Amino acid sequence: IREAGGTPVTTPNEFPTTTVVQPLIEAIVDEETVLLAAHDIENTLTQTWVESAGIFSSGELRQFAMTIGGAEARNVTALNVQLGYTLVPLPVIRTGAALDPKGRLQA
């Protein structure tokens, strides 16, 4: 970060924890809600990495983001199997549930 002229972030962003993760954890009551919580988290991560590919300034960073986004999308597919959902529900990945660069939900 410093080499690129930026300022390193040394504190965690509490927004995703308090607005996304904590409410999902509090809603867990059985195996199905564990799977639903994991699905929601993985779906948010997938959309965030896909969205981030459009804001990175180098091809190398965009490729890195899409690699992570692809791995997250596979996790969503695995959870779809466990939840009985369609394996590939959309031909493209939406980004409405992505976190913006400041870690806030866009939608």
Side-chain angles (χ1 to χ4, degrees):
I1 300 284
R2 282 190 186 99
E3 288 177 18
T7 304
V9 176
T10 58
T11 58
N13 180 343
E14 295 296 326
F15 186 85
T17 302
T18 58
T19 61
V20 178
V21 178
Q22 196 59 42
L24 289 172
I25 290 171
E26 291 170 5
I28 292 173
V29 295
D30 56 17
E31 182 179 337
E32 182 178 8
T33 55
V34 168
L35 292 171
L36 289 169
H39 186 273
D40 284 352
I41 291 169
E42 292 293 344
N43 193 33
T44 297
L45 291 170
T46 299
Q47 292 186 40
T48 299
W49 281 106
V50 169
E51 180 73 12
S52 72
I55 62 172
F56 286 130
S57 59
S58 75
E60 182 178 303
L61 289 174
R62 288 190 291 274
Q63 183 178 6
F64 180 69
M66 291 307 295
T67 299
I68 296 171
E72 295 296 347
R74 286 189 295 277
N75 293 341
V76 171
T77 300
L79 289 162
N80 283 349
V81 170
Q82 293 300 311
L83 288 163
Y85 295 170
T86 303
L87 295 185
V88 183
L90 299 168
V92 295
I93 296 175
R94 296 180 182 195
T95 58
L99 297 174
D100 72 12
K102 293 184 180 178
R104 293 176 174 82
L105 288 173
Q106 294 183 31

Coordinates of all heavy atoms in Angstrom, one line a residue:
I1 N 0.8 -1.2 0.0 CA 0.0 0.0 0.0 C 0.9 1.3 0.0 O 0.7 2.2 -0.8 CB -1.0 0.0 1.2 CG1 -1.9 -1.2 1.2 CG2 -1.7 1.3 1.3 CD1 -3.0 -1.2 0.3
R2 N 1.9 1.3 0.9 CA 2.8 2.4 0.9 C 3.5 2.6 -0.4 O 3.7 3.8 -0.9 CB 3.8 2.3 2.1 CG 3.2 2.6 3.4 CD 4.3 2.6 4.5 NE 3.7 2.8 5.8 CZ 3.5 1.8 6.7 NH1 3.8 0.6 6.4 NH2 2.9 2.0 7.8
E3 N 4.0 1.5 -1.0 CA 4.7 1.6 -2.3 C 3.8 2.2 -3.4 O 4.3 2.9 -4.3 CB 5.2 0.3 -2.7 CG 6.3 -0.2 -1.8 CD 6.8 -1.7 -2.3 OE1 6.4 -2.1 -3.4 OE2 7.4 -2.3 -1.4
A4 N 2.5 2.0 -3.3 CA 1.6 2.6 -4.3 C 1.2 4.0 -3.9 O 0.4 4.6 -4.6 CB 0.4 1.7 -4.4
G5 N 1.7 4.6 -2.8 CA 1.4 5.9 -2.4 C 0.2 6.0 -1.5 O -0.3 7.1 -1.2
G6 N -0.3 4.9 -1.0 CA -1.5 4.9 -0.1 C -1.1 4.8 1.4 O 0.0 4.7 1.8
T7 N -2.1 4.9 2.2 CA -2.0 4.8 3.6 C -2.6 3.5 4.1 O -3.7 3.2 3.8 CB -2.8 5.9 4.4 OG1 -2.3 7.2 3.9 CG2 -2.6 5.8 5.9
P8 N -1.7 2.6 4.7 CA -2.2 1.3 5.2 C -3.4 1.5 6.2 O -3.3 2.4 7.0 CB -1.0 0.7 5.8 CG 0.1 1.4 5.3 CD -0.3 2.8 5.0
V9 N -4.3 0.6 6.1 CA -5.4 0.5 7.0 C -5.0 -0.5 8.1 O -4.7 -1.6 7.8 CB -6.8 0.1 6.4 CG1 -7.9 0.0 7.4 CG2 -7.1 1.1 5.3
T10 N -5.0 0.0 9.3 CA -4.5 -0.9 10.4 C -5.6 -1.3 11.4 O -5.4 -2.0 12.3 CB -3.4 -0.2 11.2 OG1 -3.9 1.0 11.7 CG2 -2.2 0.0 10.3
T11 N -6.8 -0.8 11.2 CA -8.0 -1.2 12.1 C -9.0 -1.9 11.2 O -9.2 -1.5 10.0 CB -8.6 0.1 12.7 OG1 -9.0 1.0 11.7 CG2 -7.6 0.8 13.6
P12 N -9.7 -2.8 11.8 CA -10.8 -3.5 11.1 C -12.0 -2.6 10.7 O -12.2 -1.6 11.5 CB -11.2 -4.6 12.0 CG -10.8 -4.2 13.4 CD -9.6 -3.3 13.2
N13 N -12.6 -2.9 9.6 CA -13.8 -2.1 9.2 C -15.0 -2.9 9.9 O -15.3 -4.0 9.6 CB -14.0 -2.2 7.7 CG -15.2 -1.5 7.2 OD1 -16.1 -1.2 8.0 ND2 -15.3 -1.2 6.0
E14 N -15.6 -2.2 10.9 CA -16.6 -2.8 11.7 C -18.0 -2.9 11.0 O -18.8 -3.6 11.3 CB -16.8 -2.0 13.0 CG -15.6 -2.1 13.9 CD -15.3 -3.5 14.4 OE1 -16.3 -4.3 14.6 OE2 -14.1 -3.8 14.6
F15 N -18.1 -2.1 9.9 CA -19.4 -2.0 9.2 C -19.9 -3.4 8.7 O -21.0 -3.8 9.0 CB -19.4 -1.0 8.1 CG -20.7 -0.8 7.4 CD1 -21.6 0.1 8.0 CD2 -21.1 -1.5 6.3 CE1 -22.9 0.3 7.4 CE2 -22.3 -1.3 5.7 CZ -23.2 -0.4 6.2
P16 N -19.1 -4.1 8.0 CA -19.5 -5.5 7.5 C -19.9 -6.4 8.7 O -20.8 -7.2 8.6 CB -18.4 -6.0 6.6 CG -17.6 -4.8 6.3 CD -17.8 -3.8 7.4
T17 N -19.1 -6.3 9.7 CA -19.3 -7.2 10.8 C -20.6 -6.9 11.5 O -21.4 -7.8 11.8 CB -18.2 -7.1 11.9 OG1 -16.9 -7.4 11.2 CG2 -18.4 -8.0 13.1
T18 N -20.9 -5.6 11.8 CA -22.1 -5.3 12.5 C -23.4 -5.3 11.6 O -24.5 -5.6 12.1 CB -22.0 -3.9 13.1 OG1 -21.7 -2.9 12.1 CG2 -20.9 -3.9 14.2
T19 N -23.2 -5.1 10.3 CA -24.4 -5.0 9.4 C -24.7 -6.3 8.6 O -25.8 -6.5 8.2 CB -24.4 -3.9 8.5 OG1 -23.2 -4.0 7.6 CG2 -24.3 -2.5 9.2
V20 N -23.7 -7.1 8.4 CA -23.9 -8.3 7.6 C -23.7 -9.6 8.5 O -24.5 -10.4 8.7 CB -22.9 -8.4 6.4 CG1 -23.1 -9.7 5.6 CG2 -23.1 -7.2 5.5
V21 N -22.5 -9.7 9.1 CA -22.1 -11.0 9.8 C -22.9 -11.2 11.1 O -23.5 -12.2 11.3 CB -20.6 -11.0 10.0 CG1 -20.2 -12.3 10.7 CG2 -19.9 -11.0 8.6
Q22 N -22.9 -10.2 11.9 CA -23.5 -10.3 13.3 C -25.0 -10.7 13.2 O -25.4 -11.6 13.9 CB -23.2 -9.1 14.1 CG -23.5 -9.3 15.6 CD -22.7 -10.4 16.2 OE1 -21.5 -10.6 15.9 NE2 -23.3 -11.3 17.0
P23 N -25.8 -10.0 12.3 CA -27.2 -10.3 12.2 C -27.4 -11.8 11.7 O -28.3 -12.5 12.2 CB -27.8 -9.3 11.2 CG -26.9 -8.2 11.3 CD -25.5 -8.7 11.6
L24 N -26.5 -12.2 10.8 CA -26.6 -13.6 10.3 C -26.3 -14.6 11.4 O -27.0 -15.6 11.6 CB -25.7 -13.8 9.2 CG -26.1 -13.1 7.9 CD1 -25.0 -13.3 6.8 CD2 -27.4 -13.7 7.3
I25 N -25.3 -14.3 12.2 CA -24.9 -15.2 13.3 C -26.1 -15.3 14.4 O -26.4 -16.4 14.9 CB -23.6 -14.8 14.0 CG1 -22.5 -15.0 13.0 CG2 -23.4 -15.5 15.3 CD1 -21.1 -14.4 13.4
E26 N -26.6 -14.1 14.7 CA -27.7 -14.1 15.6 C -29.0 -14.9 15.2 O -29.8 -15.3 16.0 CB -28.1 -12.7 16.0 CG -27.0 -12.0 16.8 CD -27.2 -10.5 16.9 OE1 -28.2 -9.9 16.5 OE2 -26.3 -9.8 17.5
A27 N -29.1 -15.0 13.9 CA -30.3 -15.7 13.3 C -30.1 -17.2 13.3 O -31.1 -17.9 12.9 CB -30.6 -15.1 11.9
I28 N -28.9 -17.7 13.6 CA -28.7 -19.1 13.5 C -29.4 -19.9 14.6 O -29.2 -19.6 15.8 CB -27.2 -19.4 13.5 CG1 -26.5 -18.9 12.2 CG2 -26.9 -20.9 13.7 CD1 -25.0 -19.0 12.2
V29 N -30.2 -20.8 14.2 CA -30.9 -21.7 15.2 C -30.8 -23.2 14.8 O -31.1 -24.0 15.7 CB -32.4 -21.3 15.3 CG1 -32.5 -19.9 15.9 CG2 -33.1 -21.4 13.9
D30 N -30.4 -23.5 13.6 CA -30.4 -24.9 13.2 C -29.4 -25.0 12.0 O -28.8 -24.1 11.6 CB -31.7 -25.5 12.9 CG -32.5 -24.7 11.8 OD1 -31.9 -23.9 11.1 OD2 -33.7 -24.9 11.7
E31 N -29.3 -26.3 11.5 CA -28.4 -26.5 10.4 C -28.8 -25.7 9.1 O -27.9 -25.1 8.4 CB -28.4 -28.0 10.0 CG -27.4 -28.3 8.9 CD -27.4 -29.8 8.5 OE1 -27.8 -30.6 9.4 OE2 -27.0 -30.1 7.4
E32 N -30.1 -25.6 8.8 CA -30.5 -24.8 7.7 C -30.1 -23.3 7.8 O -29.6 -22.7 6.8 CB -32.0 -24.9 7.4 CG -32.4 -24.2 6.2 CD -33.9 -24.3 5.9 OE1 -34.6 -24.8 6.7 OE2 -34.3 -23.8 4.8
T33 N -30.2 -22.7 9.0 CA -29.9 -21.3 9.1 C -28.4 -21.1 9.1 O -27.9 -20.0 8.7 CB -30.5 -20.7 10.3 OG1 -30.2 -21.4 11.5 CG2 -32.0 -20.6 10.2
V34 N -27.6 -22.1 9.5 CA -26.1 -22.1 9.3 C -25.8 -22.0 7.8 O -25.0 -21.2 7.4 CB -25.4 -23.3 10.0 CG1 -24.0 -23.3 9.6 CG2 -25.6 -23.2 11.5
L35 N -26.4 -22.9 7.0 CA -26.2 -22.9 5.6 C -26.6 -21.6 4.9 O -26.0 -21.1 4.1 CB -26.9 -24.1 5.0 CG -26.3 -25.5 5.3 CD1 -27.3 -26.6 4.8 CD2 -24.9 -25.6 4.8
L36 N -27.8 -21.1 5.4 CA -28.3 -19.8 4.8 C -27.3 -18.7 5.1 O -27.1 -17.8 4.3 CB -29.7 -19.5 5.3 CG -30.8 -20.4 4.7 CD1 -32.1 -20.2 5.5 CD2 -31.0 -20.2 3.3
A37 N -26.8 -18.6 6.4 CA -25.9 -17.6 6.7 C -24.6 -17.7 5.9 O -24.1 -16.7 5.4 CB -25.6 -17.7 8.2
A38 N -24.1 -18.9 5.8 CA -22.9 -19.1 5.0 C -23.1 -18.7 3.6 O -22.3 -18.0 2.9 CB -22.4 -20.5 5.1
H39 N -24.3 -19.0 3.0 CA -24.6 -18.7 1.6 C -24.7 -17.2 1.5 O -24.1 -16.6 0.5 CB -26.0 -19.3 1.3 CG -26.4 -19.1 -0.1 ND1 -27.0 -18.0 -0.6 CD2 -26.2 -19.9 -1.2 CE1 -27.2 -18.1 -1.9 NE2 -26.7 -19.3 -2.3
D40 N -25.3 -16.5 2.4 CA -25.4 -15.0 2.3 C -24.0 -14.4 2.4 O -23.7 -13.4 1.6 CB -26.2 -14.4 3.4 CG -27.7 -14.6 3.2 OD1 -28.1 -15.1 2.1 OD2 -28.5 -14.4 4.1
I41 N -23.1 -14.9 3.3 CA -21.8 -14.3 3.4 C -21.0 -14.6 2.1 O -20.3 -13.7 1.6 CB -21.1 -14.9 4.6 CG1 -21.7 -14.3 5.9 CG2 -19.6 -14.6 4.6 CD1 -21.3 -15.0 7.2
E42 N -21.0 -15.8 1.6 CA -20.3 -16.2 0.4 C -20.8 -15.4 -0.8 O -20.0 -15.0 -1.7 CB -20.3 -17.7 0.1 CG -19.6 -18.5 1.2 CD -18.1 -18.3 1.1 OE1 -17.6 -17.8 0.1 OE2 -17.4 -18.7 2.1
N43 N -22.1 -15.2 -0.9 CA -22.7 -14.5 -2.0 C -22.2 -13.0 -1.9 O -21.9 -12.4 -3.0 CB -24.2 -14.5 -1.9 CG -24.8 -14.1 -3.2 OD1 -24.3 -14.2 -4.3 ND2 -26.0 -13.5 -3.1
T44 N -22.2 -12.4 -0.8 CA -21.7 -11.0 -0.6 C -20.2 -10.9 -1.0 O -19.8 -10.0 -1.7 CB -21.9 -10.5 0.8 OG1 -23.3 -10.5 1.1 CG2 -21.3 -9.1 1.0
L45 N -19.4 -11.9 -0.6 CA -18.0 -11.9 -0.9 C -17.8 -12.1 -2.4 O -17.0 -11.4 -3.0 CB -17.3 -13.0 -0.2 CG -17.1 -12.8 1.3 CD1 -16.6 -14.1 2.0 CD2 -16.2 -11.6 1.6
T46 N -18.6 -13.0 -3.1 CA -18.5 -13.2 -4.5 C -18.8 -11.9 -5.2 O -18.0 -11.4 -6.1 CB -19.5 -14.2 -5.0 OG1 -19.2 -15.5 -4.3 CG2 -19.5 -14.4 -6.5
Q47 N -19.9 -11.2 -4.9 CA -20.3 -10.0 -5.6 C -19.3 -8.9 -5.3 O -19.0 -8.1 -6.2 CB -21.7 -9.6 -5.1 CG -22.7 -10.6 -5.6 CD -24.1 -10.1 -5.3 OE1 -24.4 -9.0 -5.4 NE2 -25.0 -11.1 -4.9
T48 N -18.7 -8.8 -4.1 CA -17.7 -7.8 -3.8 C -16.5 -8.0 -4.6 O -15.9 -7.0 -5.2 CB -17.4 -7.8 -2.3 OG1 -18.6 -7.6 -1.5 CG2 -16.3 -6.8 -1.9
W49 N -16.0 -9.2 -4.8 CA -14.7 -9.4 -5.6 C -15.0 -9.2 -7.0 O -14.1 -8.6 -7.7 CB -14.1 -10.8 -5.3 CG -13.4 -10.8 -4.0 CD1 -13.8 -11.4 -2.8 CD2 -12.1 -10.2 -3.8 NE1 -12.8 -11.1 -1.9 CE2 -11.8 -10.4 -2.4 CE3 -11.2 -9.4 -4.5 CZ2 -10.6 -9.9 -1.8 CZ3 -10.1 -9.0 -3.9 CH2 -9.8 -9.2 -2.6
V50 N -16.2 -9.5 -7.5 CA -16.5 -9.3 -8.9 C -16.6 -7.8 -9.2 O -16.0 -7.3 -10.1 CB -17.8 -10.0 -9.3 CG1 -18.3 -9.5 -10.7 CG2 -17.6 -11.5 -9.4
E51 N -17.2 -7.1 -8.3 CA -17.4 -5.6 -8.4 C -16.0 -4.9 -8.3 O -15.7 -4.0 -9.0 CB -18.3 -5.1 -7.3 CG -18.5 -3.6 -7.3 CD -19.4 -3.1 -8.5 OE1 -20.0 -3.9 -9.1 OE2 -19.4 -1.9 -8.7
S52 N -15.1 -5.4 -7.5 CA -13.8 -4.8 -7.3 C -13.0 -4.9 -8.5 O -12.1 -4.0 -8.7 CB -13.1 -5.4 -6.1 OG -12.6 -6.7 -6.4
A53 N -13.2 -5.9 -9.3 CA -12.4 -6.0 -10.6 C -12.5 -4.8 -11.5 O -11.6 -4.4 -12.2 CB -12.8 -7.3 -11.3
G54 N -13.6 -4.1 -11.4 CA -13.9 -2.9 -12.2 C -13.2 -1.6 -11.6 O -13.2 -0.7 -12.3
I55 N -12.8 -1.7 -10.4 CA -12.2 -0.5 -9.8 C -10.7 -0.5 -9.7 O -10.1 0.5 -9.5 CB -12.9 -0.1 -8.5 CG1 -12.6 -1.2 -7.4 CG2 -14.3 0.2 -8.6 CD1 -13.0 -0.8 -6.0
F56 N -10.1 -1.7 -9.8 CA -8.7 -1.8 -9.7 C -8.0 -1.2 -11.0 O -8.6 -1.3 -12.1 CB -8.2 -3.3 -9.6 CG -8.5 -3.8 -8.2 CD1 -9.1 -5.0 -8.0 CD2 -8.1 -3.1 -7.1 CE1 -9.3 -5.5 -6.7 CE2 -8.3 -3.6 -5.8 CZ -8.9 -4.8 -5.6
S57 N -6.9 -0.6 -10.8 CA -6.2 0.1 -11.8 C -5.3 -0.7 -12.7 O -4.8 -0.2 -13.8 CB -5.4 1.3 -11.2 OG -4.5 0.8 -10.3
S58 N -5.0 -1.9 -12.3 CA -4.1 -2.7 -13.2 C -4.7 -4.1 -13.5 O -5.5 -4.6 -12.8 CB -2.7 -3.0 -12.4 OG -2.9 -4.0 -11.4
G59 N -4.3 -4.6 -14.7 CA -4.8 -5.9 -15.1 C -4.5 -7.0 -14.1 O -5.2 -7.9 -13.9
E60 N -3.3 -6.9 -13.5 CA -2.9 -7.9 -12.5 C -3.8 -7.9 -11.3 O -4.2 -9.0 -10.9 CB -1.4 -7.6 -12.1 CG -0.9 -8.6 -11.1 CD 0.6 -8.3 -10.7 OE1 1.4 -8.1 -11.7 OE2 0.8 -8.1 -9.5
L61 N -4.2 -6.7 -10.8 CA -5.1 -6.7 -9.7 C -6.5 -7.2 -10.1 O -7.1 -7.9 -9.3 CB -5.1 -5.3 -9.1 CG -3.9 -4.8 -8.4 CD1 -4.0 -3.3 -8.0 CD2 -3.6 -5.7 -7.1
R62 N -6.9 -6.8 -11.3 CA -8.3 -7.2 -11.7 C -8.3 -8.8 -11.8 O -9.3 -9.4 -11.5 CB -8.6 -6.6 -13.0 CG -8.9 -5.1 -12.9 CD -9.5 -4.5 -14.1 NE -8.6 -4.4 -15.2 CZ -7.7 -3.4 -15.4 NH1 -7.7 -2.4 -14.6 NH2 -6.9 -3.4 -16.4
Q63 N -7.2 -9.3 -12.4 CA -7.1 -10.8 -12.5 C -7.1 -11.5 -11.2 O -7.8 -12.5 -10.9 CB -5.9 -11.2 -13.3 CG -5.8 -12.7 -13.5 CD -4.5 -13.0 -14.4 OE1 -3.7 -12.2 -14.6 NE2 -4.4 -14.3 -14.7
F64 N -6.4 -10.9 -10.2 CA -6.4 -11.4 -8.9 C -7.8 -11.4 -8.2 O -8.2 -12.4 -7.6 CB -5.4 -10.6 -8.0 CG -5.2 -11.1 -6.6 CD1 -4.6 -12.3 -6.3 CD2 -5.7 -10.3 -5.6 CE1 -4.5 -12.7 -5.0 CE2 -5.6 -10.7 -4.2 CZ -5.0 -11.9 -4.0
A65 N -8.5 -10.3 -8.4 CA -9.8 -10.1 -7.8 C -10.8 -11.2 -8.4 O -11.6 -11.8 -7.7 CB -10.4 -8.7 -8.1
M66 N -10.7 -11.4 -9.7 CA -11.6 -12.4 -10.4 C -11.2 -13.8 -10.0 O -12.1 -14.6 -9.9 CB -11.5 -12.2 -11.9 CG -12.2 -10.9 -12.4 SD -13.9 -10.6 -11.8 CE -14.7 -12.0 -12.6
T67 N -10.0 -14.0 -9.7 CA -9.6 -15.4 -9.2 C -10.3 -15.6 -7.9 O -10.9 -16.7 -7.6 CB -8.1 -15.5 -9.0 OG1 -7.5 -15.3 -10.3 CG2 -7.7 -16.8 -8.5
I68 N -10.2 -14.7 -7.0 CA -10.9 -14.8 -5.7 C -12.4 -14.9 -5.9 O -13.1 -15.7 -5.2 CB -10.5 -13.7 -4.7 CG1 -9.0 -13.7 -4.4 CG2 -11.3 -13.8 -3.4 CD1 -8.5 -12.5 -3.7
G69 N -13.0 -14.0 -6.7 CA -14.4 -14.0 -7.0 C -14.9 -15.4 -7.5 O -15.9 -15.9 -7.1
G70 N -14.1 -16.0 -8.4 CA -14.4 -17.3 -8.9 C -14.4 -18.4 -7.8 O -15.3 -19.3 -7.8
A71 N -13.4 -18.3 -6.9 CA -13.4 -19.3 -5.8 C -14.6 -19.1 -4.9 O -15.2 -20.0 -4.4 CB -12.1 -19.1 -5.0
E72 N -15.0 -17.8 -4.6 CA -16.2 -17.6 -3.8 C -17.4 -18.1 -4.5 O -18.3 -18.6 -3.8 CB -16.3 -16.1 -3.5 CG -15.2 -15.5 -2.6 CD -15.1 -16.1 -1.2 OE1 -16.1 -16.8 -0.8 OE2 -14.1 -15.9 -0.6
A73 N -17.5 -17.9 -5.8 CA -18.7 -18.3 -6.6 C -18.8 -19.9 -6.5 O -19.9 -20.4 -6.4 CB -18.6 -17.9 -8.0
R74 N -17.7 -20.6 -6.5 CA -17.8 -22.0 -6.3 C -18.3 -22.4 -4.9 O -19.1 -23.4 -4.8 CB -16.4 -22.7 -6.6 CG -16.0 -22.7 -8.0 CD -14.8 -23.5 -8.3 NE -13.6 -22.9 -7.7 CZ -12.9 -22.0 -8.3 NH1 -13.2 -21.4 -9.4 NH2 -11.8 -21.5 -7.7
N75 N -17.9 -21.6 -3.9 CA -18.5 -21.8 -2.6 C -20.0 -21.6 -2.6 O -20.7 -22.4 -1.9 CB -17.8 -20.9 -1.6 CG -16.4 -21.2 -1.3 OD1 -15.9 -22.3 -1.6 ND2 -15.6 -20.2 -0.8
V76 N -20.5 -20.6 -3.3 CA -21.9 -20.4 -3.4 C -22.6 -21.6 -4.0 O -23.6 -22.0 -3.6 CB -22.2 -19.1 -4.1 CG1 -23.7 -18.9 -4.4 CG2 -21.7 -17.9 -3.3
T77 N -22.0 -22.1 -5.1 CA -22.6 -23.2 -5.8 C -22.6 -24.5 -4.9 O -23.6 -25.2 -4.8 CB -21.7 -23.6 -7.0 OG1 -21.8 -22.5 -7.9 CG2 -22.3 -24.8 -7.8
A78 N -21.6 -24.7 -4.1 CA -21.6 -25.8 -3.1 C -22.7 -25.7 -2.1 O -23.4 -26.6 -1.7 CB -20.2 -25.9 -2.5
L79 N -22.9 -24.4 -1.6 CA -24.0 -24.2 -0.7 C -25.3 -24.3 -1.3 O -26.3 -24.8 -0.7 CB -23.8 -22.8 0.0 CG -22.6 -22.8 1.0 CD1 -22.2 -21.4 1.3 CD2 -22.9 -23.5 2.3
N80 N -25.4 -23.9 -2.6 CA -26.7 -24.1 -3.4 C -27.1 -25.6 -3.4 O -28.3 -25.9 -3.2 CB -26.6 -23.6 -4.8 CG -26.6 -22.1 -4.9 OD1 -27.0 -21.4 -4.0 ND2 -26.3 -21.6 -6.1
V81 N -26.1 -26.5 -3.5 CA -26.4 -27.9 -3.5 C -27.0 -28.3 -2.2 O -28.0 -29.0 -2.1 CB -25.1 -28.7 -3.8 CG1 -25.3 -30.2 -3.6 CG2 -24.6 -28.5 -5.3
Q82 N -26.3 -27.9 -1.1 CA -26.8 -28.3 0.2 C -28.1 -27.7 0.5 O -28.9 -28.3 1.3 CB -25.8 -27.8 1.3 CG -24.4 -28.5 1.2 CD -24.6 -30.0 1.4 OE1 -25.2 -30.4 2.4 NE2 -24.0 -30.7 0.6
L83 N -28.5 -26.6 0.0 CA -29.8 -25.9 0.3 C -30.8 -26.3 -0.7 O -32.0 -25.9 -0.6 CB -29.6 -24.4 0.2 CG -28.8 -23.8 1.4 CD1 -28.3 -22.4 1.2 CD2 -29.7 -23.9 2.7
G84 N -30.5 -27.1 -1.7 CA -31.5 -27.5 -2.7 C -31.8 -26.5 -3.7 O -32.8 -26.5 -4.4
Y85 N -30.9 -25.5 -3.9 CA -31.2 -24.4 -4.9 C -30.6 -24.8 -6.2 O -29.9 -25.8 -6.4 CB -30.4 -23.1 -4.5 CG -30.9 -22.5 -3.2 CD1 -30.1 -21.4 -2.6 CD2 -32.0 -22.8 -2.5 CE1 -30.5 -20.8 -1.5 CE2 -32.4 -22.2 -1.4 CZ -31.7 -21.2 -0.9 OH -32.1 -20.6 0.3
T86 N -31.0 -24.0 -7.3 CA -30.4 -24.2 -8.6 C -28.9 -24.0 -8.5 O -28.5 -23.1 -7.9 CB -31.0 -23.2 -9.6 OG1 -32.5 -23.3 -9.5 CG2 -30.5 -23.4 -11.0
L87 N -28.2 -24.9 -9.1 CA -26.7 -24.8 -9.0 C -26.2 -23.5 -9.6 O -25.3 -22.9 -8.9 CB -26.1 -26.0 -9.7 CG -26.4 -27.4 -9.1 CD1 -25.5 -28.5 -9.7 CD2 -26.1 -27.4 -7.6
V88 N -26.6 -23.1 -10.7 CA -26.1 -21.9 -11.3 C -27.3 -21.1 -11.7 O -27.9 -21.2 -12.8 CB -25.3 -22.2 -12.6 CG1 -24.7 -20.9 -13.2 CG2 -24.1 -23.1 -12.3
P89 N -27.8 -20.3 -10.7 CA -29.1 -19.6 -10.9 C -29.1 -18.5 -11.9 O -30.1 -18.1 -12.5 CB -29.4 -19.0 -9.5 CG -28.0 -18.9 -8.9 CD -27.2 -20.0 -9.4
L90 N -27.9 -17.9 -12.2 CA -27.8 -16.8 -13.2 C -26.6 -17.0 -14.1 O -25.6 -17.4 -13.6 CB -27.7 -15.4 -12.4 CG -28.8 -15.1 -11.5 CD1 -28.4 -13.9 -10.6 CD2 -30.1 -14.7 -12.3
P91 N -26.7 -16.5 -15.3 CA -25.5 -16.7 -16.2 C -24.4 -15.7 -15.9 O -23.3 -15.9 -16.3 CB -26.1 -16.4 -17.6 CG -27.3 -15.6 -17.3 CD -27.9 -16.0 -16.0
V92 N -24.8 -14.6 -15.2 CA -23.8 -13.6 -14.8 C -23.9 -13.4 -13.3 O -25.0 -13.6 -12.7 CB -23.9 -12.3 -15.5 CG1 -23.6 -12.5 -17.0 CG2 -25.3 -11.7 -15.3
I93 N -22.9 -12.9 -12.7 CA -23.0 -12.6 -11.2 C -23.4 -11.1 -11.0 O -22.8 -10.2 -11.5 CB -21.6 -12.8 -10.5 CG1 -21.3 -14.3 -10.7 CG2 -21.6 -12.4 -9.1 CD1 -19.9 -14.7 -10.2
R94 N -24.5 -11.0 -10.3 CA -24.9 -9.6 -9.9 C -24.0 -9.0 -8.9 O -23.3 -9.8 -8.2 CB -26.4 -9.7 -9.3 CG -27.4 -10.2 -10.3 CD -28.7 -10.2 -9.7 NE -29.7 -10.7 -10.7 CZ -31.0 -10.6 -10.6 NH1 -31.5 -10.0 -9.5 NH2 -31.8 -11.1 -11.5
T95 N -24.0 -7.7 -8.8 CA -23.2 -7.1 -7.8 C -23.9 -6.2 -6.9 O -23.3 -5.4 -6.1 CB -22.0 -6.3 -8.5 OG1 -22.6 -5.4 -9.4 CG2 -21.1 -7.3 -9.2
G96 N -25.2 -6.3 -6.8 CA -26.0 -5.4 -6.0 C -25.8 -5.6 -4.5 O -26.0 -4.7 -3.7
A97 N -25.3 -6.8 -4.1 CA -25.0 -7.0 -2.7 C -23.5 -6.9 -2.3 O -23.1 -7.2 -1.3 CB -25.5 -8.4 -2.3
A98 N -22.8 -6.3 -3.3 CA -21.3 -6.1 -3.1 C -21.1 -5.0 -2.0 O -21.9 -4.1 -1.9 CB -20.6 -5.7 -4.4
L99 N -20.0 -5.2 -1.3 CA -19.5 -4.1 -0.4 C -18.8 -3.1 -1.3 O -18.0 -3.4 -2.1 CB -18.6 -4.6 0.7 CG -19.2 -5.7 1.6 CD1 -18.2 -6.2 2.5 CD2 -20.4 -5.1 2.4
D100 N -19.0 -1.8 -1.0 CA -18.3 -0.8 -1.7 C -16.9 -0.7 -1.2 O -16.5 -1.3 -0.2 CB -19.1 0.6 -1.7 CG -19.0 1.3 -0.4 OD1 -18.2 0.9 0.5 OD2 -19.8 2.3 -0.2
P101 N -16.0 0.2 -1.8 CA -14.6 0.2 -1.3 C -14.4 0.6 0.1 O -13.4 0.3 0.7 CB -14.0 1.3 -2.3 CG -14.8 1.2 -3.5 CD -16.2 0.9 -3.0
K102 N -15.5 1.2 0.7 CA -15.4 1.6 2.1 C -16.0 0.5 3.0 O -16.1 0.6 4.2 CB -16.1 2.9 2.4 CG -15.3 4.0 1.7 CD -16.0 5.4 2.1 CE -15.2 6.5 1.4 NZ -15.8 7.8 1.6
G103 N -16.4 -0.6 2.4 CA -16.9 -1.8 3.2 C -18.4 -1.7 3.5 O -18.9 -2.3 4.4
R104 N -19.1 -0.9 2.8 CA -20.6 -0.7 3.0 C -21.3 -1.4 1.9 O -20.9 -1.4 0.7 CB -20.9 0.8 3.1 CG -20.3 1.4 4.3 CD -20.6 2.9 4.3 NE -20.1 3.5 5.5 CZ -18.9 3.9 5.7 NH1 -18.0 3.7 4.8 NH2 -18.5 4.5 6.8
L105 N -22.5 -1.9 2.2 CA -23.3 -2.6 1.2 C -23.8 -1.5 0.2 O -24.2 -0.4 0.7 CB -24.5 -3.3 1.8 CG -24.2 -4.5 2.6 CD1 -25.5 -5.0 3.3 CD2 -23.7 -5.6 1.7
Q106 N -23.8 -1.8 -1.0 CA -24.2 -0.8 -2.0 C -25.7 -0.7 -2.1 O -26.2 0.3 -2.4 CB -23.6 -1.2 -3.4 CG -22.1 -1.1 -3.5 CD -21.6 -1.4 -4.8 OE1 -22.2 -1.2 -5.8 NE2 -20.4 -2.0 -4.9
A107 N -26.4 -1.9 -2.0 CA -27.8 -1.9 -2.1 C -28.5 -1.5 -0.9 O -28.1 -1.5 0.2 CB -28.3 -3.3 -2.5

